[in-house]
Amino acid sequence: EGREDLQVNQLETQIWIKPDIRKTDVDFSEILNAIQEIAKDVNIFFDELESVNSPSKDDDSLLHHGNLTSTSDDASRLEVVGEEVPDKNKTNGLYFRDGKCRIDYILVYRKSNPQTEKREVFERNIRAEGLQMEKESSLTNSDIIFVKLHAPWEVLGKYAELMNVRMPFRRKIYYLHRRYKFMNRIEKQISRFRGWLPRKPMKLDKETLPDLEENDCYTAPFSQQRIHHFIIHNKDTFFNNATRSRIVHHILQRVKYEEGKNKIGLNRLLSNGSYEAAFPLHEGSYRSKNSIRTHGAENHRHLLYECWASWGVWYKYQPLDLVRRYFGEKIGLYFAWLGWYTGMLFPAAFIGLFVFLYGVTTLNHCQVSKEVCQATDIIMCPICDKYCPFMRLSDSCVYAKVTHLFDNGATVFFAVFMAVWATVFLEFWKRRRAVIAYDWDLIDWEEEEEEIRPQFEAKYSKKERMNPISGKPEPYQAFADKCSRLIVSASGIFFMICVVIAAVFGIVIYRVVTVSTFAAFKWALIRNNSQVATTGTAVCINFCIIMLLNVLYEKVALFLTNLEQPRTESEWENSFTLKMFLFQFVNLNSSTFYIAFFLGRFTGHPGAYLRLINRWRLEECHPSGCLIDLCMQMGIIMVLKQTWNNFMELGYPLIQNWWTRRKLRQEYGTQSKTSFPQWEKDYNLQPMNAYGLFDEYLEMILQFGFTTIFVAAFPLAPLLALLNNIIEIRLDAYKFVTQWRRPLASRAKDIGIWYGILEGIGILSVITNAFVIAVTSDFIPRLVYAYKYGPCAGQGEAGQKCMVGYVNASLSVFLVSDFENRSEPTSNGSEFSGSPLKYCRYRDYRDPPHSPVPYGYTLQFWHVLAARLAFIIVFEHLVFCIKHLISYLIPDLPKDLRDRMRREKYLIQEMMYEAELERLQKERKERKKSGKSYHNEWP
């Protein structure tokens, strides 16, 4: 009594209880307990029955070499009688055997792998989630098994709602702002003028691009209850391929493969070797026999290759919406940032080229270089011990002219411009990112609560505490343990920085030793240019050391990051990124910092040189200055590193893919490639880097540092960066489309920790450029001479006529007989005047040898030093004020975007309200027709 019916299905047990309170005296708690015991027994029975009847997923009897075999229970039900399936779907390798179910994801494993039981449980749970599955052995290796997964409409709808996937539901309504007649007239005149200009050659042809419906529609989180609100023309294409693979990956990450609370997810199976690879499929071949202009694109991959990855469209804008649709928002944001950075380099490259050309045009009017070239009677002291000879100052005429190309009156303006440019670039990128986030529906998107890393769980599984967000117990790392690991990691970072400094010290020793060797060389060309030869070879050796240390740094950074035991993957990525950037930045720029700020600064003077380990004399600057050494360092390192990176990015996967194709041709003939299904072709491609987009971002961020930090010494750096990036965009696109497996489409709102690193580089660039202008270049000494000591002293002028006599005023006199024994040159300088030299000159502001304080600093030295310090302070404060003013005046969101967002929010609310009202009214009419009525009903 009290139980009316009990029905047990294979999937679940449903119980209806309708007790009659007036007639029963039975304790209902006992009845409910009994019913629950019965339900448990029924569930256990059917679980055991299913495990007995379900075939093993690794059973070799289900597999045939090169033959598709369905292991899904619903496979037979998918073939509808009377419905024809295109033969193309069955042969292109993108569908199941029936030609209807599209392959959304591929898993690869080897039959010889011992993790069979875990795979069986995992695949059984995959099918329990509703995914359909087929298996096939590889055509080239029977040990390799491909597992093809397909998500039916019901599964896609269910998980799209859980993941809050935004889908189109109403076309956008565009409206025009009210314009005044005067503005209309101006626009008409501009449009007339544009009629004479080329038709926007940089824009892509709209006829070749597909209609991306989601960009022209309002979107909302998908809901199965409100499915009638969404625009669904075809359920098979409503969710695009990238979204389908993302949903399937979301399911795979939450499927158990073994008993235990942490035995879950595809990533753990990949890490323990149960599966060899997992990836979504490319959408067919990227090449076609037919022209895209006459026959259209075969698929989105072919379209991306023709409109984006082909070298023939290097001058075109990027189809970012197509990139986002095919590869996902995270990769789309990288290419959007790279394109924005490249576009912003155009004004910087133009101004830098203008500064260089200004130096070229004013070269013949430069008073300083004229005096250097005409100073045949000024004899300079040797720049090294014993073997370096005395030299005329006029011998450095070429170097003085080259120095003027980079160190001229426009250099200070360019340094200020680049500091402001870095701020404008970052501020306008924030605006651009906001527009992209709005167009790609990322404004309201929030990252899901990340899963804990398996290594963290294994290490701290014994200690648990409640997660304040999920309310579930999770492993916990004690504060003392975390601090100790961070201290060890920081010590490792400090040690590796010391290794970099030791490498720079080795380069310094090489320079001071080889300059004497080259000075005594037999070849006159090298002997006469010993300092340039020393600098050039030192830079090349430094580059080789940089590339070797980079390999070591990656392993050290990986070890230290794993030692810290970060909790989630994002924490691991941020920690690893920070270490790698710090290592590579110090490794790449340490020698540059030495040349810019230390070379020739602490050498002493003739007769009292400072020495390393009391043995090697420190290297001096060239008589024309140290800036030429800094220019050579930056130019060689920048060109060599960019060339090497581009070769490794494209050359390495090209060579590996070529080797794979060569082996296949040798084994299966020349026609084997065309007969392979798509999953076989994609498996033979190279997987994406284990660190995702880390290498691409790191390369560009280091280049950004080169472009901004020492740009005052090398104004052509933005031009070199621009030329490299034009190639880099197409090279990366070609790599993603043709050489790599298709990466999983993932979402992101911005470029992550890299933005903070860019801001830090922007701040550092202001400080370094201030020191380069004040310390490395001769801008301040010339300015002090023009206003204080030159012919125009006290007149407030600083033209070229005011620089007469500057070279002589910047050189001090040394008595040759005061040389140390180990520094005294083998030559006595009689080749210049026929008799031994008594005096030579050197770059410094010191008193002559017969003054009361021989070789003491002059008053001009202290004036120059004070002017340098004052310039650094004024320059930094001025530029930082300009940067903060610009960042304050430029809002993060454009005004029109803010208005569009508000209007769209209002329209979506109105549309949803109207659609819901229509549905309620329709249901009310239907109830009235059927004669049913309810009280307390809302209108």
Side-chain angles (χ1 to χ4, degrees):
E1 188 177 11
R3 182 177 63 187
E4 182 178 280
D5 192 9
L6 174 65
Q7 296 182 358
V8 181
N9 294 330
Q10 182 174 351
L11 297 179
E12 61 180 349
T13 304
Q14 299 178 349
I15 303 172
W16 289 266
I17 302 176
K18 292 184 179 180
D20 191 344
I21 300 177
R22 294 171 297 177
K23 298 180 179 179
T24 183
D25 295 324
V26 181
D27 188 357
F28 288 104
S29 60
E30 296 180 1
I31 297 177
L32 290 175
N33 291 334
I35 293 173
Q36 288 175 1
E37 293 296 329
I38 296 172
K40 287 181 182 178
D41 294 340
V42 173
N43 282 331
I44 292 171
F45 170 77
F46 282 110
D47 285 344
E48 293 176 353
L49 184 63
E50 183 180 0
S51 63
V52 171
N53 294 333
S54 61
S56 173
K57 302 302 175 294
D58 286 348
D59 189 1
D60 293 344
S61 63
L62 296 174
L63 298 171
H64 300 280
H65 185 76
N67 184 25
L68 294 172
T69 305
S70 174
T71 62
S72 172
D73 293 338
D74 299 329
S76 60
R77 282 176 275 174
L78 291 171
E79 298 182 2
V80 181
V81 178
E83 183 179 347
E84 297 183 359
V85 178
D87 294 335
K88 184 179 179 181
N89 289 358
K90 297 182 179 181
T91 58
N92 61 8
L94 299 177
Y95 291 83
F96 276 18
R97 187 179 184 182
D98 57 8
K100 300 176 185 177
C101 298
R102 189 176 186 90
I103 299 173
D104 297 321
Y105 213 81
I106 292 290
L107 302 177
V108 185
Y109 68 89
R110 293 182 180 270
K111 288 193 293 184
S112 57
N113 189 286
Q115 307 283 351
T116 304
E117 185 177 352
K118 293 180 180 178
R119 284 196 304 271
E120 288 181 0
V121 176
F122 185 71
E123 292 173 7
R124 184 162 63 244
N125 290 333
I126 288 176
R127 295 172 61 239
E129 290 289 339
L131 297 180
Q132 297 171 5
M133 184 188 307
E134 280 187 353
K135 288 187 179 183
E136 182 179 359
S137 60
S138 172
L139 294 174
T140 60
N141 187 349
S142 59
D143 188 43
I144 298 176
I145 307 299
F146 295 97
V147 180
K148 297 168 287 182
L149 302 177
H150 166 75
W153 168 258
E154 294 77 12
V155 176
L156 292 173
K158 172 186 174 182
Y159 280 95
E161 185 173 359
L162 291 174
M163 296 168 63
N164 290 323
V165 177
R166 299 182 69 91
M167 301 303 296
F169 75 94
R170 188 72 63 90
R171 288 216 170 253
K172 289 184 178 179
I173 303 173
Y174 295 97
Y175 65 97
L176 298 176
H177 295 282
R178 182 179 178 183
R179 297 183 180 272
Y180 296 99
K181 292 182 179 180
F182 177 72
M183 296 299 297
N184 288 334
R185 290 175 186 173
I186 292 179
E187 287 185 357
K188 286 181 181 179
Q189 296 296 330
I190 293 175
S191 62
R192 255 185 221 174
F193 175 72
R194 284 179 177 174
W196 298 91
L197 298 177
R199 297 288 183 179
K200 298 180 179 179
M202 297 179 70
K203 286 199 172 183
L204 293 167
D205 185 8
K206 291 185 178 180
E207 295 180 358
T208 62
L209 295 176
D211 180 22
L212 300 180
E213 188 175 64
E214 60 265 30
N215 293 335
D216 295 328
C217 297
Y218 294 117
T219 61
F222 183 76
S223 173
Q224 289 182 314
Q225 293 182 349
R226 299 178 177 178
I227 196 171
H228 52 280
H229 294 172
F230 296 91
I231 304 174
I232 304 178
H233 302 301
N234 185 350
K235 289 186 176 182
D236 294 334
T237 59
F238 178 64
F239 297 103
N240 61 43
N241 295 329
T243 304
R244 296 174 68 101
S245 62
R246 186 156 58 91
I247 292 175
V248 173
H249 182 79
H250 177 86
I251 297 173
L252 297 179
Q253 291 296 91
R254 287 155 178 80
V255 171
K256 281 196 171 187
Y257 61 86
E258 205 173 48
E259 290 298 327
K261 62 178 181 180
N262 298 327
K263 309 295 184 179
I264 185 173
L266 176 62
N267 284 348
R268 290 180 173 85
L269 291 176
L270 289 171
S271 62
N272 64 26
S274 298
Y275 287 100
E276 189 172 300
F279 53 89
L281 285 181
H282 278 296
E283 298 181 9
S285 175
Y286 63 90
R287 293 187 182 273
S288 176
K289 298 179 180 178
N290 303 319
S291 172
I292 191 174
R293 296 185 178 274
T294 57
H295 293 75
E298 296 287 338
N299 49 64
H300 280 145
R301 189 187 186 193
H302 178 217
L303 182 63
L304 279 173
Y305 177 77
E306 295 290 340
C307 298
W308 182 49
S310 175
W311 297 103
V313 294
W314 64 269
Y315 60 94
K316 298 276 190 182
Y317 290 128
Q318 298 184 86
L320 293 177
D321 290 328
L322 271 178
V323 177
R324 172 245 181 170
R325 181 185 183 121
Y326 195 83
F327 291 109
E329 286 80 3
K330 193 169 187 178
I331 294 176
L333 269 174
Y334 163 71
F335 282 102
W337 176 84
L338 181 57
W340 183 257
Y341 171 46
T342 304
M344 289 292 291
L345 279 173
F346 273 96
F350 176 78
I351 300 297
L353 184 61
F354 170 78
V355 171
F356 179 78
L357 294 178
Y358 174 80
V360 173
T361 56
T362 60
L363 183 60
N364 295 328
H365 306 286
C366 178
Q367 181 64 30
V368 176
S369 60
K370 280 182 182 180
E371 291 186 0
V372 171
C373 295
Q374 296 171 2
T376 56
D377 57 339
I378 298 179
I379 308 301
M380 302 297 295
C381 297
I383 59 175
C384 68
D385 292 337
K386 291 188 177 298
Y387 298 107
C388 291
F390 295 98
M391 60 181 294
R392 286 189 176 93
L393 181 60
S394 58
D395 293 342
S396 61
C397 176
V398 175
Y399 303 112
K401 290 182 177 180
V402 172
T403 301
H404 177 74
L405 299 180
F406 303 102
D407 185 13
N408 51 62
T411 303
V412 178
F413 160 75
F414 185 59
V416 176
F417 170 81
M418 287 303 296
V420 174
W421 172 86
T423 302
V424 172
F425 162 65
L426 293 176
E427 292 299 322
F428 275 94
W429 163 247
K430 286 195 289 188
R431 292 166 62 87
R432 174 63 176 157
R433 187 205 64 81
V435 174
I436 292 175
Y438 169 77
D439 291 337
W440 292 356
D441 291 322
L442 298 172
I443 294 292
D444 298 326
W445 178 77
E446 295 292 339
E447 293 187 15
E448 299 177 358
E449 177 68 15
E450 287 191 84
E451 296 181 3
I452 299 175
R453 296 177 66 242
Q455 295 85 346
F456 185 88
E457 288 180 342
K459 181 70 176 178
Y460 300 103
S461 58
K462 296 181 179 179
K463 297 181 180 180
E464 291 185 347
R465 72 172 182 180
M466 297 296 293
N467 188 314
I469 298 175
S470 63
K472 298 179 180 178
E474 65 178 19
Y476 167 67
Q477 183 181 15
F479 180 77
D481 181 75
K482 187 173 183 178
C483 286
S484 61
R485 291 178 179 274
L486 288 176
I487 291 173
V488 174
S489 178
S491 302
I493 295 173
F494 178 75
F495 173 76
M496 294 309 299
I497 292 176
C498 292
V499 171
V500 176
I501 296 174
V504 174
F505 186 76
I507 295 295
V508 171
I509 294 178
Y510 168 82
R511 293 172 70 107
V512 299
V513 170
T514 54
V515 68
S516 300
T517 305
F518 285 143
F521 214 73
K522 295 181 180 180
W523 294 349
L525 179 63
I526 296 179
R527 185 172 62 252
N528 296 334
N529 299 276
S530 60
Q531 196 162 17
V532 176
T534 300
T535 302
T537 54
V539 171
C540 294
I541 293 174
N542 184 33
F543 174 75
C544 296
I545 293 175
I546 287 172
M547 302 311 296
L548 290 175
L549 287 179
N550 282 345
V551 178
L552 174 64
Y553 290 155
E554 182 175 349
K555 296 181 179 179
V556 172
L558 192 63
F559 172 77
L560 293 178
T561 307
N562 290 331
L563 181 66
E564 292 178 7
Q565 291 291 349
R567 177 177 170 274
T568 62
E569 286 295 333
S570 63
E571 292 178 5
W572 189 94
E573 289 179 5
N574 290 341
S575 178
F576 179 76
T577 298
L578 198 58
K579 290 182 182 61
M580 280 297 294
F581 168 76
L582 187 60
F583 286 158
Q584 297 223 16
F585 180 81
V586 174
N587 187 28
L588 194 63
N589 293 284
S590 54
S591 296
T592 311
F593 272 89
Y594 164 74
I595 293 174
F597 305 128
F598 297 99
L599 179 63
R601 302 284 175 256
F602 310 100
T603 57
H605 62 87
Y609 287 118
L610 298 178
R611 298 178 180 273
L612 282 175
I613 323 176
N614 199 26
R615 180 177 180 182
W616 293 298
R617 170 182 162 183
L618 289 174
E619 187 181 6
E620 290 188 41
C621 291
H622 198 272
S624 59
C626 294
L627 202 66
I628 186 68
D629 297 298
L630 184 58
C631 292
M632 289 182 61
Q633 173 81 13
M634 290 191 62
I636 294 175
I637 291 293
M638 193 170 186
V639 171
L640 287 180
K641 179 146 182 68
Q642 290 182 348
T643 304
W644 175 260
N645 287 339
N646 290 339
F647 171 75
M648 289 301 296
E649 281 188 14
L650 186 61
Y652 181 72
L654 272 175
I655 292 173
Q656 284 202 325
N657 291 334
W658 170 82
W659 182 255
T660 302
R661 291 193 300 268
R662 181 176 178 272
K663 290 195 299 184
L664 293 177
R665 281 196 302 268
Q666 290 178 349
E667 295 180 8
Y668 299 95
T670 57
Q671 301 298 325
S672 61
K673 183 179 178 182
T674 57
S675 62
F676 285 159
Q678 188 62 43
W679 56 83
E680 191 98 30
K681 295 177 183 177
D682 287 5
Y683 177 70
N684 291 327
L685 295 177
Q686 296 302 308
M688 189 177 176
N689 292 334
Y691 310 128
L693 294 168
F694 170 79
D695 290 335
E696 281 70 23
Y697 272 118
L698 180 64
E699 178 186 356
M700 290 295 102
I701 299 301
L702 292 175
Q703 184 207 83
F704 179 80
F706 252 94
T707 307
T708 54
I709 292 178
F710 293 104
V711 74
F714 192 59
L716 293 180
L719 180 62
L720 295 179
L722 174 64
L723 297 177
N724 174 80
N725 287 7
I726 292 175
I727 299 173
E728 181 75 21
I729 291 176
R730 306 303 162 181
L731 188 147
D732 283 347
Y734 183 83
K735 180 175 59 179
F736 271 92
V737 173
T738 66
Q739 301 301 311
W740 280 359
R741 295 174 190 162
R742 185 176 183 177
L744 179 70
S746 56
R747 310 198 84 188
K749 294 182 70 172
D750 50 32
I751 61 175
I753 194 176
W754 296 110
Y755 185 83
I757 294 176
L758 287 171
E759 285 187 324
I761 292 176
I763 295 172
L764 180 62
S765 67
V766 177
I767 302 172
T768 53
N769 282 306
F771 275 89
V772 166
I773 296 172
V775 177
T776 310
S777 74
D778 289 337
F779 175 76
I780 298 300
R782 293 176 188 178
L783 209 61
V784 171
Y785 178 81
Y787 283 102
K788 185 68 177 175
Y789 298 96
C792 305
Q795 300 178 13
E797 297 182 11
Q800 291 298 325
K801 64 179 181 179
C802 302
M803 299 304 298
V804 176
Y806 167 75
V807 172
N808 186 60
S810 64
L811 298 176
S812 300
V813 180
F814 177 73
L815 186 63
V816 174
S817 59
D818 290 341
F819 268 122
E820 300 172 304
N821 292 333
R822 53 182 173 179
S823 298
E824 187 174 358
T826 56
S827 152
N828 59 6
S830 58
E831 65 270 16
F832 297 104
S833 59
S835 60
L837 286 176
K838 292 184 179 180
Y839 299 97
C840 63
R841 309 292 293 273
Y842 60 98
R843 283 173 55 93
D844 209 342
Y845 297 101
R846 292 183 181 268
D847 292 323
H850 302 296
S851 61
V853 183
Y855 308 117
Y857 286 117
T858 63
L859 184 62
Q860 188 176 355
F861 169 81
W862 299 109
H863 284 165
V864 171
L865 180 61
R868 282 173 168 168
L869 296 177
F871 175 83
I872 291 172
I873 295 172
V874 172
F875 182 89
E876 288 181 355
H877 283 70
L878 176 64
V879 175
F880 278 131
C881 288
I882 295 174
K883 286 169 67 73
H884 286 300
L885 180 63
I886 291 174
S887 61
Y888 173 77
L889 293 177
I890 300 177
D892 294 345
L893 283 178
K895 185 178 182 303
D896 59 339
L897 176 61
R898 190 181 294 110
D899 294 340
R900 285 164 59 192
M901 290 171 60
R902 291 175 179 173
R903 179 170 176 78
E904 178 172 334
K905 186 176 181 181
Y906 168 77
L907 290 176
I908 289 175
Q909 290 176 349
E910 290 291 321
M911 292 173 187
M912 289 296 231
Y913 174 77
E914 291 175 2
E916 194 67 22
L917 189 61
E918 289 177 4
R919 186 182 67 82
L920 291 174
Q921 290 177 349
K922 186 177 180 180
E923 291 179 358
R924 184 179 181 183
K925 290 179 181 179
E926 290 178 356
R927 286 197 298 267
K928 285 183 178 180
K929 288 181 181 179
S930 61
K932 295 181 180 180
S933 60
Y934 297 91
H935 298 289
N936 301 326
E937 182 181 0
W938 288 92

